[in-house]
Amino acid sequence: MPRKKQAQVRLFCFPYAGGGVSAFHFLLEQAPSDIEICPIQLPGREGRFTETPFTELDVLVKSLYQALLPYFDGAYAFFGHSMGALISFELTRLIRLKGQVAGPVHLFVSGHRAPHLPDPRPPVHHLSDLQLIETLRQLNGTPEAVLNNSELLQLLLPLLRADFTLCETYAYRSELPLTCPISAFGGLDDSEVSREAIMAWREQTQGSFQARFFMGDHFYLHKEQANLLAAILAGLQSTSRDL
C-alpha cells in the first residue's frame, strides 16, 4: 500500500456488522486526491467470504494492528461506522499502548454509542435465524430482497451472528482518554443509538470533540454520502491546521 504521491493523509475505514469495503465506495469515488481512502476488508465478507470471521474484538484488533502497522508511516485517520466505530476506537487505544508509531490524527466514529456506556439492548447473537432476520429488518440496513432470499441468508447469517457476537461480548476497560480529536456522527432517526449516546464520545478524548447528526436512521451514511464526506473533510482540515 504505497502512499499516493499527492496524499496528505490516509483514511482507514472500518465497516458495520455484515458490511464490507463496498460500503465505502463512495469515499473512494468522491474523496479528493490528497486523501487516500483505505477501506478494510475483514474476514468473512465479500472477497474474503470463505474466511472465518472474528468473534472477539480484542483478537481482531491485535490482528489488524499487526497487518496495518507498516501503513501507519505517515499522517492517518480512522473512520468506523457502528461495529467499525468500536474497532477503530480499540485499535487506537492499542496503538497508544504499543507506542511503536504515532496514533491517528483524527478518529471519526459513527452510529455507535460511546464505548463506556452499557448496551441498552438485549443481545441478539444467540437468537434463532428467524429472530435474527427480524432484527435485521428492524435495523433497516439489509435490503428486503436479501432478507427474502434463503440462499443469500445462508451466507449472510453466520457472518452477522459472528459480528454481533464480537460487539455484544465487548467489555470496555477504563483508560485515560485519547489525545486525538474525535468526531462522532449519528442519524437523527436512529432508533438504536441516541443523540446522548453519540455526544458521550466527548469523554473519550482530551482533544477537540465535535458531534454531527444527519438525516436518516442507523444507516444514514448510504443516503447522506456527500454530507458525510464533507464532515470528514472538515474534520481533517481542522486537524491539519492544528498539526
Side-chain angles (χ1 to χ4, degrees):
M1 193 187 298
R3 185 175 294 277
K4 289 165 56 178
K5 291 183 178 180
Q6 68 270 41
Q8 298 179 9
V9 62
R10 279 180 172 148
L11 180 66
F12 294 91
C13 303
F14 300 92
Y16 47 83
V21 296
S22 62
F24 305 115
H25 279 173
F26 75 98
L27 291 175
L28 288 166
E29 295 171 352
Q30 301 174 29
S33 59
D34 59 346
I35 308 296
E36 185 173 9
I37 304 299
C38 303
I40 302 302
Q41 188 74 289
L42 301 178
R45 63 212 74 216
E46 297 181 354
R48 301 183 68 184
F49 77 94
T50 60
E51 301 178 42
T52 303
F54 286 88
T55 57
E56 296 179 57
L57 184 61
D58 285 349
V59 178
L60 169 58
V61 167
K62 289 175 182 176
S63 176
L64 286 171
Y65 177 81
Q66 293 298 328
L68 298 178
L69 184 60
Y71 307 110
F72 298 151
D73 57 345
Y76 65 95
F78 290 157
F79 170 77
H81 180 72
S82 198
M83 178 183 75
L86 205 55
I87 293 171
S88 60
F89 170 71
E90 284 297 338
L91 181 55
T92 302
R93 298 216 294 182
L94 182 60
I95 291 168
R96 177 176 64 179
L97 176 65
K98 295 287 189 180
Q100 293 180 266
V101 294
V105 297
H106 205 115
L107 178 59
F108 298 94
V109 290
S110 170
H112 198 285
R113 69 189 185 282
H116 57 278
L117 299 180
D119 191 344
R121 303 168 303 167
V124 300
H125 67 268
H126 63 284
L127 296 179
S128 69
D129 285 354
L130 288 177
Q131 291 172 316
L132 195 56
I133 291 168
E134 184 55 33
T135 298
L136 296 175
R137 184 171 279 112
Q138 293 171 6
L139 286 173
N140 200 32
T142 306
E144 194 66 27
V146 173
L147 295 176
N148 292 326
N149 187 314
S150 59
E151 293 183 359
L152 283 178
L153 284 175
Q154 286 181 1
L155 297 174
L156 182 62
L157 285 180
L159 168 62
L160 284 165
R161 196 178 296 279
D163 285 353
F164 285 145
T165 300
L166 182 147
C167 294
E168 293 172 352
T169 58
Y170 167 71
Y172 173 76
R173 295 180 296 269
S174 180
E175 296 180 12
L176 288 174
L178 299 171
T179 56
C180 66
I182 291 180
S183 294
F185 303 144
L188 287 169
D189 299 319
D190 189 346
S191 61
E192 300 297 312
V193 185
S194 69
R195 298 189 201 186
E196 292 77 15
I198 294 291
M199 294 295 297
W201 279 97
R202 180 189 299 275
E203 297 182 34
Q204 293 298 332
T205 182
Q206 303 171 52
S208 62
F209 174 81
Q210 184 176 20
R212 173 79 185 272
F213 295 92
F214 301 86
M215 297 297 295
D217 58 16
H218 188 66
F219 289 97
Y220 74 87
L221 73 167
H222 295 314
K223 295 183 179 179
E224 287 286 286
Q225 295 176 354
N227 289 331
L228 175 58
L229 175 58
I232 291 172
L233 294 178
L236 291 174
Q237 291 168 359
S238 175
T239 299
S240 65
R241 290 195 296 267
D242 295 336
L243 294 177

